[in-house]
Amino acid sequence: MVSATRLDALVIGAGFSGLYQLHCLRDRLGLTVKVLEAAPELGGTWYWNRYPGARCDSESHSYCYFFSRELLEEWEWSERYPGPPEILRYLNHVADRFDLRRDIRFGTRVVAARYDEAANRWSVETESGERYLATYLVAAVGCLSAASIPDIPGLEDFAGRWVHTGEWPREGVDFRGKRVGQIGTGSTGIQAAPVIAQSAAHLTVFQRTAQYSVPARNQPLSEAFRRYVRSHHEEIREVCRSTPNGHPFRIAERKVSDVTAAEREAIYEAAWEKGGLQFRATFRDLVLDKAANDTAAEFIKAKIREIVRDPETARALADIDHPYAAKRPPIDTDYFETFNRDNVALVDLRADPVERITPSGIRTRSREHPLDIIVFATGFDAMTGPLLRLGIRGRGGLALAEAWRAGPSTYLGLQVPGFPNLFTVTGPGSPSVLTNMPIAIEQHVEWITGCIGYMRRNGVACCEAEPAAAAGWDEQVNEAANKTVLALARHSWYFGANIPGKPRVFMPYAGGLARYRAICDDVAARGYAGFVMA
Ligand code: NA7
């Protein structure tokens, strides 16, 4: 038997969540902590998602930690939306600055985590057979880290190369002179296609569901804007913390019906020109009221028809079957314009579905599409996938997969009944993917740190969500979704619909980050109401 490493806390994942969680537990609470990370370097989602065109769609001045004034003062972003290299530089800077690396083990994949009831601790095993024993286990594995490759018959016979955007090779992929097929037109596909098209001989985009997209209008940050950021960290942080999505802009107070049609079009036009997710913030009822939403949807569809020259391609791109922002709303750089290039074609899979992959390409019902490279921009087994892959077993050996057979059930997205002292950062049931992630992450990490600190001060050995509290919270998650148009797109990955057999449960909390923070703070203030503190 290999001897086990004993710790107070074990954190899984070295992205935004894991790095900050390590800092909080080790340097603020004085615990012995290690982070296990499957990748050879830190960065989490940004380590894996290095596909062409990859870029954050939160604005850089808000896509960062706010917990340290010094850190805010010494770091400066270069562009409106940072790409993976700059975000990785930032995270490496954070790791160096807080001396985090010495407690991170890279290239270490967790394959099992079992709760030992008698000892009240977690026993964690890695792929290479190492064992760790820890009182607290924090899953900081991200929401979009389990890549999903659809089960299309024939992939194993494909003679060319295939890659998934979420597991992009570090050395990159050379598209020059190649015929490329890209499956998927979510945020990732919409970012990747324009860049792939620039170097590939030919790009065929296979679209199952057409998507809205608004220009990102990425650009280098001006000196004036950098100055503004330098002198307004507090205000920027407060705006992020007080808005539903954690972004550095407020949602307009007006409703669509408060303005005339001409005023509304002018507002949309200005937001289109400004670019980015602020488009969604133009009216407060856009995600709450279908009729209001229709006006934004129509505006974007008209833009698509105006941009794309080929009428049939324009029709397929604008044939969108869900309300605007009901699926994760992408922002882009020349996505629709890309379909005006001679070397780019769109295949509408609704009209012409994929039959199989052949050795030389993809065969749809109408014809064969010869390809050298297939890019799967097909997304992730979101939110639950990364947690279920850890092989977690709680009380009585209950597997998390079993506990969640009918869909994820959590208390506040932070804990699962039957899994004591296991905390999930941005877990299902928390605002997570509906927000600017670092803001949600800081809130979760700080709450978890507060909870563990409370346990230690009060001699509490074991913290576990009550089943009734979790059931009540699941209901609130459902109710929050049902108040928005997000509930109308039942084929979105928010519902798990992209993974065959996955239960259709709306996973993130759509009630807004500010409200959620207040609920979490209130639970803590009431002595962690809804948690059994034994
Ligand atoms: P998404 O948003 O899940 O998009 C995946 C895309 O792949 C989407 O267009 C899917 O169509 C398509 N897809 C998935 N499976 C298939 C099959 N079998 N055949 C054809 N097309 C398929 O993932 P992204 O990586 O773009 O974005 C994830 C998040 O990363 C994003 O929200 C940002 O937060 C960052 P569908 O819509 O399911 O019909």
Side-chain angles (χ1 to χ4, degrees):
M1 188 67 146
V2 209
S3 73
T5 305
R6 285 165 191 273
L7 301 162
D8 294 321
L10 185 71
V11 177
I12 309 173
F16 267 92
S17 306
L19 294 178
Y20 186 36
Q21 190 68 76
L22 168 60
H23 174 58
C24 285
L25 294 179
R26 187 191 69 183
D27 303 331
R28 292 192 195 152
L29 296 188
L31 307 190
T32 56
V33 190
K34 292 276 178 235
V35 176
L36 305 183
E37 167 56 59
E41 284 172 26
L42 52 80
T45 200
W46 297 107
Y47 174 83
W48 298 103
N49 283 271
R50 299 171 193 235
Y51 58 84
R55 207 167 269 290
C56 183
D57 48 19
S58 293
E59 299 189 41
S60 56
H61 65 290
S62 66
Y63 197 77
C64 55
Y65 297 111
F66 281 88
F67 68 85
S68 158
R69 171 177 282 277
E70 296 75 22
L71 178 59
L72 282 167
E73 282 170 2
E74 69 204 14
W75 184 265
E76 213 167 61
W77 297 98
S78 68
E79 290 179 275
R80 183 174 178 189
Y81 303 99
E86 191 169 21
I87 299 172
L88 291 171
R89 275 200 303 281
Y90 172 71
L91 290 175
N92 275 286
H93 169 73
V94 172
D96 291 339
R97 191 180 197 296
F98 297 100
D99 192 17
L100 301 177
R101 225 178 287 273
R102 67 184 155 96
D103 286 312
I104 308 174
R105 275 189 69 86
F106 294 104
T108 305
R109 187 178 287 281
V110 169
V111 293
R114 293 188 191 84
Y115 176 66
D116 175 347
E117 285 182 58
N120 181 39
R121 70 181 173 209
W122 285 88
S123 167
V124 175
E125 268 171 49
T126 70
E127 204 167 36
S128 61
E130 291 169 337
R131 276 183 72 222
Y132 294 82
L133 300 174
T135 308
Y136 317 103
L137 180 62
V138 183
V141 288
C143 299
L144 298 163
S145 51
S148 162
I149 295 159
D151 188 14
I152 302 173
L155 179 58
E156 62 287 357
D157 302 327
F158 182 55
R161 179 174 187 196
W162 64 267
V163 274
H164 187 285
T165 50
E167 293 173 348
W168 203 256
R170 290 198 68 191
E171 66 283 6
V173 177
D174 188 357
F175 292 109
R176 281 174 302 176
K178 305 286 194 224
R179 296 162 306 176
V180 182
Q182 176 188 302
I183 304 179
T185 54
S187 303
T188 299
I190 281 175
Q191 287 184 337
V195 183
I196 295 174
Q198 283 166 21
S199 63
H202 190 269
L203 171 67
T204 307
V205 176
F206 295 88
Q207 168 189 282
R208 185 163 71 182
T209 307
Q211 254 285 27
Y212 302 95
S213 184
V214 168
R217 312 256 183 238
N218 185 41
Q219 57 190 316
L221 294 179
S222 66
E223 185 40 44
F225 188 76
R226 290 176 200 225
R227 240 193 337 268
Y228 159 78
V229 171
R230 275 199 297 273
S231 53
H232 290 81
H233 291 306
E234 267 314 303
E235 289 89 328
I236 294 166
R237 174 172 176 267
E238 276 326 298
V239 174
C240 291
R241 286 165 61 108
S242 63
T243 59
N245 306 100
H247 287 292
F249 47 82
R250 295 194 196 279
I251 295 176
E253 283 177 14
R254 61 184 169 229
K255 290 163 92 171
V256 166
S257 57
D258 292 342
V259 300
T260 65
E263 285 165 344
R264 184 187 71 215
E265 293 304 291
I267 289 165
Y268 286 147
E269 194 63 50
W272 180 271
E273 280 314 310
K274 188 169 176 48
L277 291 172
Q278 297 193 36
F279 191 91
R280 191 178 45 182
T282 44
F283 294 98
R284 79 172 151 94
D285 52 348
L286 276 196
V287 295
L288 302 175
D289 178 52
K290 171 74 168 57
N293 190 285
D294 285 345
T295 64
E298 268 318 309
F299 178 88
I300 300 175
K301 288 177 183 179
K303 282 286 182 195
I304 298 170
R305 291 187 209 104
E306 194 181 301
I307 295 168
V308 180
R309 287 198 288 268
D310 174 58
E312 187 44 35
T313 306
R315 190 205 55 75
L317 287 166
D319 186 14
I320 308 174
D321 67 358
H322 52 276
Y324 167 63
K327 289 184 136 196
R328 180 69 152 69
I331 57 175
D332 71 275
T333 301
D334 295 337
Y335 177 63
F336 297 115
E337 289 81 352
T338 291
F339 292 93
N340 292 333
R341 294 177 65 110
D342 292 338
N343 68 335
V344 176
L346 180 75
V347 175
D348 176 2
L349 296 179
R350 294 263 164 104
D352 188 12
V354 170
E355 287 192 335
R356 65 178 296 113
I357 294 174
T358 67
S360 54
I362 293 179
R363 193 162 74 220
T364 56
R365 189 190 291 156
S366 75
R367 58 168 283 210
E368 170 105 13
H369 302 269
L371 300 170
D372 304 304
I373 301 175
I374 299 175
V375 174
F376 287 98
T378 45
F380 302 88
D381 182 353
M383 306 202 72
T384 51
L387 293 165
L388 293 174
R389 285 197 307 188
L390 299 175
I392 296 173
R393 285 182 181 275
R395 260 185 217 291
L398 178 69
L400 185 62
E402 189 54 35
W404 283 0
R405 204 137 63 118
S409 168
T410 70
Y411 185 36
L412 302 170
L414 282 159
Q415 266 215 347
V416 185
F419 298 81
N421 293 355
L422 165 67
F423 297 91
T424 52
V425 182
T426 62
S430 75
S432 59
V433 292
L434 301 179
T435 72
N436 173 24
M437 288 299 283
I439 306 294
I441 286 169
E442 267 194 353
Q443 184 262 336
H444 255 199
V445 166
E446 286 164 8
W447 192 95
I448 291 166
T449 307
C451 179
I452 293 176
Y454 172 92
M455 290 169 71
R456 297 182 77 83
R457 282 193 310 277
N458 292 282
V460 173
C462 182
C463 165
E464 180 178 355
E466 288 171 12
W473 182 247
D474 296 341
E475 235 168 74
Q476 288 198 50
V477 172
N478 249 320
E479 277 168 21
N482 286 336
K483 286 185 186 146
T484 71
V485 297
L486 278 67
L488 302 177
R490 289 194 62 84
H491 56 317
S492 76
W493 58 255
Y494 296 148
F495 277 100
N498 62 327
I499 303 296
K502 190 165 169 171
R504 296 278 180 108
V505 171
F506 192 88
M507 295 181 287
Y509 174 67
L513 187 55
R515 181 181 305 157
Y516 173 80
R517 179 192 301 275
I519 295 170
C520 291
D521 288 350
D522 176 61
V523 163
R526 288 187 291 120
Y528 296 89
F531 292 92
V532 179
M533 290 286 195

